[in-house]
Amino acid sequence: MQGRVISNISNLYTIEANNNIYSCNARGKLKEDGIVVGDIVDFNENENIIEKVEDRSNYIKRPKIANITQIICVISAKNPKPDLLMLDKQLAYAEFIGIKPVIIINKIDLDERKVKEIKDIYGNIEYPILATNAKENKGIEDINKILENNISVFAGNSGVGKSTLLNDIFGEEITKSGIISNKNKKGKNTTTNITLYKLKENEYIADTPGFSTFDVSEIDSKDLAIYFKEFKDKIKNCEFIGCRHIKEENCGIKEAVNCGKISENRYENYIKIYEYLKDKEEHKW
Ligand SMILES: Nc1nc2c(ncn2[C@@H]2O[C@H](COP(=O)(O)OP(=O)(O)O)[C@@H](O)[C@H]2O)c(=O)[nH]1
Ligand SMILES: [Mg+2]
Ligand SMILES: [Zn+2]
């Protein structure tokens, strides 16, 4: 049979296939190569053994997960204040790995001006951008639409409202049973492993406890600009081949910043991430 790995606890894999759940082990060789949540596997349902892992359409190292179709970047308008540098890292990482990103601005009840400011920056780049008030269940229908036929993973700083959003999406039933809230009997949050939850056919959400962002250092500093979506078609205007768009003259990116076609905030974050990557490459830490 073929199914999808929805959790992995000490090499015991939970597989979902045709709406049934199976618990399987893996053959030694497969175990070594690694089977991760999200993998599509062929398994023997009598012996409870995974025989084969299908090729992945993508693979994220941290959190370990495969075959995701969408990354949902959550920030809050206030408390905590929006971390646009982290958002830009996540967007670049999504472009790098070839997964479409969606932006959710949550806590819109706390600072409307900030919401508009963020929409102005990112609306221009043609990323889907949703505004929600998870506490009062506002904007959740829009999220439901965007989840359709996708395997989504939520990313974002602690406190931005990811758990509240997930609870809104899954509804009270599941929240009460504690599946998504990850609370133990005493009501404390526990760290559990990454798990895929099925909403509908072809619709899953990864709950990633304790995870906030991806490892952007997988990207080469020299390639970073092409993962800033709106920079891409300006690079051809750079005079120098191999232009890094920082100190060079006659740079297409800098010209676009100067005439307002690229947001200054995005450009500043590009430089910060570039310097971080460059430093990491030079010192190999
Ligand atoms: N005012 C306001 N508070 C919210 C909203 N969404 C979540 N919160 C609150 O923000 C806090 C952190 O939310 P939580 O879902 O635990 O964030 P997580 O760390 O990203 O999972 C909780 O006290 C929530 O009740 C919102 O839209 N507006
Ligand atoms: Mg949470
Ligand atoms: Zn340039």
Side-chain angles (χ1 to χ4, degrees):
M1 282 185 77
Q2 194 167 70
R4 185 185 305 273
V5 176
I6 58 170
S7 85
N8 166 15
I9 295 168
S10 342
N11 291 331
L12 186 64
Y13 305 89
T14 308
I15 298 169
E16 191 254 358
N18 309 322
N19 281 319
N20 288 316
I21 300 291
Y22 302 84
S23 231
C24 289
N25 284 296
R27 298 210 184 281
K29 170 92 175 66
L30 286 181
K31 229 182 285 181
E32 277 163 36
D33 293 346
I35 301 173
V36 302
V37 170
D39 269 331
I40 306 288
V41 294
D42 296 344
F43 65 103
N44 181 322
E45 75 267 36
N46 299 318
E47 292 178 44
N48 291 82
I49 286 280
I50 296 174
E51 310 273 7
K52 185 175 179 238
V53 181
E54 297 295 326
D55 288 343
R56 296 166 179 158
S57 57
N58 55 56
Y59 172 63
I60 299 177
K61 280 188 196 160
R62 199 171 55 88
K64 266 194 196 329
I65 191 164
N67 302 320
I68 287 296
T69 66
Q70 179 165 269
I71 290 175
I72 302 189
C73 308
V74 188
I75 53 172
S76 52
K78 198 180 173 182
N79 299 342
K81 81 168 205 256
D83 185 347
L84 299 187
L85 177 60
M86 183 191 263
L87 177 61
D88 287 336
K89 281 184 190 167
Q90 289 169 345
L91 294 172
Y93 187 84
E95 296 290 339
F96 165 69
I97 207 155
I99 305 176
K100 62 178 185 275
V102 173
I103 301 166
I104 294 183
I105 313 171
N106 187 39
K107 307 201 188 185
I108 53 170
D109 53 309
L110 298 183
D111 191 338
E112 278 174 29
R113 262 185 49 201
K114 202 78 200 173
V115 176
K116 189 178 174 303
E117 214 179 289
I118 299 169
K119 277 188 174 172
D120 282 347
I121 298 176
Y122 295 92
N124 262 335
I125 319 172
E126 290 171 28
Y127 282 128
I129 177 159
L130 308 180
T132 58
N133 171 350
K135 209 169 172 180
E136 287 166 23
N137 237 300
K138 287 182 183 153
I140 307 303
E141 322 78 60
D142 295 337
I143 300 182
N144 285 332
K145 242 174 267 158
I146 232 154
L147 294 174
E148 256 168 46
N149 290 313
N150 274 300
I151 304 173
S152 308
V153 57
F154 278 65
N157 273 328
S158 168
V160 297
K162 296 181 300 297
S163 298
T164 314
L165 285 165
L166 287 170
N167 288 342
D168 290 348
I169 292 160
F170 279 92
E172 247 184 298
E173 288 303 303
I174 285 175
T175 317
K176 271 184 192 152
S177 66
I179 297 177
I180 280 289
S181 61
N182 289 313
K183 291 204 167 132
N184 64 19
K185 279 183 189 153
K186 286 178 181 158
K188 280 195 182 157
N189 277 305
T190 56
T191 30
T192 51
N193 291 301
I194 183 164
T195 303
L196 271 183
Y197 292 102
K198 187 172 188 172
L199 271 161
K200 285 183 213 150
E201 211 47 50
N202 291 321
E203 192 173 323
Y204 296 82
I205 294 181
D207 190 23
T208 55
F211 157 80
S212 60
T213 197
F214 308 97
D215 188 7
V216 76
S217 67
E218 286 179 53
I219 301 175
D220 264 352
S221 62
K222 66 172 172 33
D223 298 332
L224 181 64
I226 60 173
Y227 302 122
F228 271 64
K229 197 175 163 192
E230 76 280 31
F231 288 20
K232 223 163 143 182
D233 76 321
K234 305 282 186 288
I235 296 174
K236 62 177 186 297
N237 303 330
C238 296
E239 185 180 333
F240 302 102
I241 293 173
C243 183
R244 300 289 184 256
H245 327 298
I246 297 176
K247 290 187 182 135
E248 296 88 345
E249 306 215 329
N250 300 325
C251 165
I253 304 285
K254 287 203 279 188
E255 278 159 17
V257 175
N258 288 337
C259 67
K261 285 189 176 137
I262 287 177
S263 116
E264 279 179 26
N265 202 286
R266 286 272 290 171
Y267 179 62
E268 282 162 18
N269 287 343
Y270 164 79
I271 296 177
K272 283 181 193 158
I273 301 168
Y274 177 85
E275 282 171 354
Y276 165 80
L277 294 175
K278 190 82 187 154
D279 189 53
K280 203 154 179 171
E281 284 158 13
E282 278 165 8
H283 297 98
K284 299 225 182 328
W285 40 272

